[in-house]
Amino acid sequence: MANSELRAFKPIGDYALPPMPTEQTAKRWWRKLRHALGSDVERIIIGAGALKCSEVEQLDAVAPSPAFGPVQDELQSTLQDWLADEAPSGWLKLVVLPPCDDAGVLENWATEQGHSTLEAPSRADLLSGDKKISLELAEAFSGESRVLVIPRLERWFIRHRDGLTHLRALLDALDGLEQHCVIGCNSWAWAFVQKAVGAERILPTGMTFQSFDEPRLRRWLAGLASAASGTPVTFRHSRTGQDVFKTVDDSDEGAEPISNYMKSLAAESYGIPWVAWHVWRQSLRDAPGDDENRESLDELAVNDGETLWVVEPDELILPETQEGMALLILHAILIHGELTISELARVLPSADHMNVVAALSTRGFVTRRDGRIRCVPAAYPAIRRALSNAGFPSDRL
Amino acid sequence: MDATEGTQKAAKLLNDLQDINFTEIVIVIVGAWLVTLAANKLFPILAEKVPSKLRLYFLGAVPIIRVLVLVIAISWTIPIVFNITFQNFLIISGAASVAIGFALKDYASSLIAGFVAIFERPYRPGDWVQIQDDYGEVMSVGMRAIRIRTAEDNTISVPHDLIWNNNISNSNDGARTLMCIADFYLLPDHDAEQVRSALRDVALTSSYLEYEKPVHVMLNETPFGTHYRVKAYPFDLRDQFSFISDLTVRGKRAIAAHGGREASAVVSASTD
């Protein structure tokens, strides 16, 4: 993305959610009703089941990482004047980011800019109530580095009565610090720490990136695809056959797209680039191998160099009989970023969650890697909707 | 002469039989019954499907719809049957007063109390109320009585006329949350400041906690020990019992970890 596209971070509370196209919401409800009535004979170009899943290499070519796009550059652009100031009005900056940032915006930024990173204690240490933490922090803050980065404040606590000691000690150490310090925190964790320890009394007002609305998302994803070498790729919607990047007058500036797909994707992903990136990659399909379907598609895509088909993601459904426990698990994982099974047992009200975690994994809500359970970024929209509908305390960007 | 005049007056109280459209009356009654039945069945189902913040609005709409349908049905059918004049109104009122006074006093009192309750709102569907010795969720607000489901899954019918002379304690008053209290009784020999801080952290780290409401830990000395009350709000009032259980289980662990001893075991042992 060009430097002119970089947008400065804004205070949290100013985040503008991309709107969902009205007709898209109506169409979705109409499709659900038809499906419920058993009348699912909508005219579509090709069903998702007839298409092949794209190879990972192909996906990496048309939608390469990092999933956070220009957000890291925007962070540097926002902070550069403050970082250069030898006597700023405030030494602390709080960056609040939506969850599921697996790629690590702040960690990457700190590494690329050569800033020191303060590592969080292990989860076992968090529950030990170790009083020596204050001494260790004092040593860390008296170091030589000019800029200190604490990339994930959510790694400094565990939601347990014994799990807040390190967080409180960290906040005490930050209070009165005279060194540039950038603290990152996921938005769900930020809502929790404000309630649990009153973190907003010590840390400044948080800031976050500007949402990726339809034009911005379309330009970013189109830019990723066009940067791929080889034959140009056309991305067609599997229901309508429309080119999802094409605009009415083929121009880019302020032009209306002919397909609503990007508007829907921007709204569905709440303007979060890494969520949109994961959903986008999951939605890409290759043409079918069988001749019958291929012939009719070839007619439509006769002028395309190469065609990839964009399907709508499957709707994720929570386990019916254990919906309450499933939501408690998802809420806990969003707050902490990732948890092991034993850590989940410490933060949940009851221990009968093993089979529910398995069900959530099977249904695509969570993933398990190295024993740690995380929310699947592409599932975040469904998770957020379910938690909001059930009345759970939510994040606020 | 007087008998003839009285007969004529009585005849004019009702419209002539051939002028009364019985089909229309039946249609209005059946229609009103169907609409009320549909609202009674459909709205509670919808209340469980819609987002949590809309649930109580859907439940609260049912008695209002029922009253509206009843008023419309009565207003529609009365002119069909009765010859509405001021004199006829006085005759009917007089007869109704006698009937109500002797036979239907309590029923009428409950009906009127039910009508008043819709406007004063001492309770509404979805509220958790204490009426005399019964505490439970208001499942439905009928014409004569409300139905409450208790925590023991008992369904209790409470006539509306209790509102005239009894206190109605409403725990949530239409809100999505209510205050939950977990009580602990400790022997005096412990560090109260540490225990109070630990109990506060227990509440702040509960999975059920509502962030927009405060958390308080109160304590006072009793002859048997120190009484702690942890007061906090769950984000969904339907989780109130799970929330109190969670506070109690984790609170007991916190108390034990800070050297507190619960008073109840010692009291029961000393009475043996």
Side-chain angles (χ1 to χ4, degrees), chain B residues 6-262:
Chain B
T7 306
Q8 282 175 349
K9 275 188 184 168
K12 286 207 174 130
L13 186 65
L14 297 170
N15 289 324
D16 293 334
L17 275 179
Q18 60 266 27
D19 294 332
I20 296 176
N21 189 342
F22 290 99
T23 308
E24 190 178 345
I25 292 172
V26 167
I27 290 172
V28 169
I29 291 171
V30 169
W33 177 76
L34 283 173
V35 170
T36 307
L37 182 70
N40 280 343
K41 298 289 182 200
L42 192 62
F43 274 60
I45 293 171
L46 286 175
E48 298 306 316
K49 300 281 184 200
V50 298
S52 173
K53 56 183 170 237
L54 298 177
R55 176 177 171 262
L56 294 181
Y57 292 108
F58 273 75
L59 291 176
V62 175
I64 295 170
I65 289 172
R66 189 170 32 240
V67 164
L68 281 175
V69 167
L70 193 66
V71 165
I72 291 169
I74 290 173
S75 306
W76 199 317
T77 52
I78 282 182
I80 299 173
V81 177
F82 294 99
N83 180 20
I84 305 293
T85 64
F86 181 66
Q87 286 167 318
N88 290 343
F89 173 74
L90 289 177
I91 294 168
I92 294 169
S93 303
S97 302
V98 171
I100 289 168
F102 283 100
L104 299 174
K105 175 172 67 72
D106 292 330
Y107 188 78
S109 177
S110 287
L111 283 183
I112 294 167
F115 193 72
V116 168
I118 287 176
F119 294 97
E120 283 193 0
R121 312 192 99 176
Y123 40 65
R124 67 207 89 177
D127 283 354
W128 282 77
V129 296
Q130 173 95 32
I131 301 177
Q132 295 179 329
D133 295 329
D134 299 310
Y135 176 70
E137 182 184 7
V138 177
M139 303 304 297
S140 63
V141 176
M143 296 297 299
R144 184 197 70 83
I146 62 173
R147 287 173 63 236
I148 294 176
R149 186 168 62 198
T150 68
E152 291 75 35
D153 208 21
N154 294 328
T155 303
I156 300 173
S157 287
V158 181
H160 287 301
D161 64 358
L162 280 183
I163 70 170
W164 298 137
N165 297 309
N166 291 275
N167 293 338
I168 312 290
S169 173
N170 193 325
S171 296
N172 62 302
D173 196 23
R176 287 190 300 125
T177 185
L178 45 71
M179 179 186 279
C180 292
I181 302 175
D183 293 290
F184 302 92
Y185 303 88
L186 273 61
L187 292 175
D189 55 339
H190 64 273
D191 186 328
E193 190 175 346
Q194 278 191 5
V195 169
R196 189 180 185 205
S197 177
L199 288 176
R200 185 175 157 75
D201 282 347
V202 162
L204 288 170
T205 54
S206 173
S207 298
Y208 299 106
L209 184 71
E210 166 61 64
Y211 292 176
E212 301 297 319
K213 292 287 193 179
V215 169
H216 295 298
V217 179
M218 294 173 53
L219 64 158
N220 63 289
E221 287 297 315
T222 72
F224 304 107
T226 312
H227 178 199
Y228 286 86
R229 310 197 82 195
V230 179
K231 297 181 174 182
Y233 295 76
F235 58 79
D236 189 326
L237 52 80
R238 289 171 289 181
D239 291 328
Q240 58 183 289
F241 302 111
S242 300
F243 184 46
I244 293 172
S245 302
D246 182 47
L247 293 177
T248 305
V249 166
R250 295 190 302 115
K252 286 164 72 73
R253 282 197 210 126
I255 287 165
H258 286 86
R261 286 188 303 150
E262 293 181 64

Side-chain angles (χ1 to χ4, degrees), chain A residues 77-275:
Chain A
S77 167
T78 305
L79 294 178
Q80 62 189 14
D81 290 341
W82 172 76
L83 289 169
D85 191 345
E86 293 289 335
S89 55
W91 289 101
L92 306 178
K93 287 290 184 188
L94 174 66
V95 178
V96 178
L97 297 174
C100 302
D101 169 30
D102 295 347
V105 174
L106 240 64
E107 288 96 329
N108 275 282
W109 172 74
T111 304
E112 283 191 14
Q113 299 296 324
H115 301 317
S116 299
T117 304
L118 184 63
E119 290 302 318
S122 68
R123 288 269 163 77
D125 287 341
L126 287 177
L127 288 167
S128 68
D130 187 359
K131 301 293 185 229
K132 291 200 308 264
I133 178 62
S134 300
L135 292 172
E136 291 164 10
L137 286 171
E139 282 171 20
F141 289 155
S142 63
E144 292 298 319
S145 66
R146 200 177 150 269
V147 179
L148 188 65
V149 179
I150 302 172
R152 294 185 193 261
L153 194 65
E154 60 266 26
R155 298 274 165 87
W156 285 80
F157 68 88
I158 187 165
R159 195 183 63 186
H160 185 275
R161 64 176 170 82
D162 291 330
L164 302 177
T165 308
H166 284 68
L167 178 63
R168 287 183 170 127
L170 176 65
L171 292 173
D172 286 342
L174 288 171
D175 191 21
L177 181 71
E178 292 190 0
Q179 177 185 4
H180 288 91
C181 184
V182 179
I183 303 118
C185 188
N186 97 44
S187 51
W188 290 78
W190 179 239
F192 171 73
V193 300
Q194 284 182 285
K195 178 65 183 175
V197 301
E200 75 282 7
R201 292 194 285 266
I202 294 172
L203 298 179
T205 304
M207 59 175 165
T208 193
F209 58 85
Q210 296 187 42
S211 66
F212 277 61
D213 53 12
E214 181 272 327
R216 198 175 177 210
L217 184 66
R218 176 167 43 85
R219 281 196 294 272
W220 175 46
L221 293 178
L224 291 180
S226 63
S229 58
T231 318
V233 180
T234 303
F235 297 85
R236 292 191 178 275
H237 199 286
S238 65
R239 279 187 183 272
T240 61
Q242 291 170 328
D243 182 340
V244 299
F245 286 122
K246 196 175 172 65
T247 53
V248 168
D249 55 2
D250 268 340
S251 72
D252 195 39
E253 295 304 320
E256 193 67 18
I258 59 171
S259 169
N260 268 336
Y261 176 78
M262 282 295 160
K263 271 189 196 167
S264 301
L265 180 59
E268 187 74 15
S269 61
Y270 296 97
I272 304 168
W274 46 87
V275 172

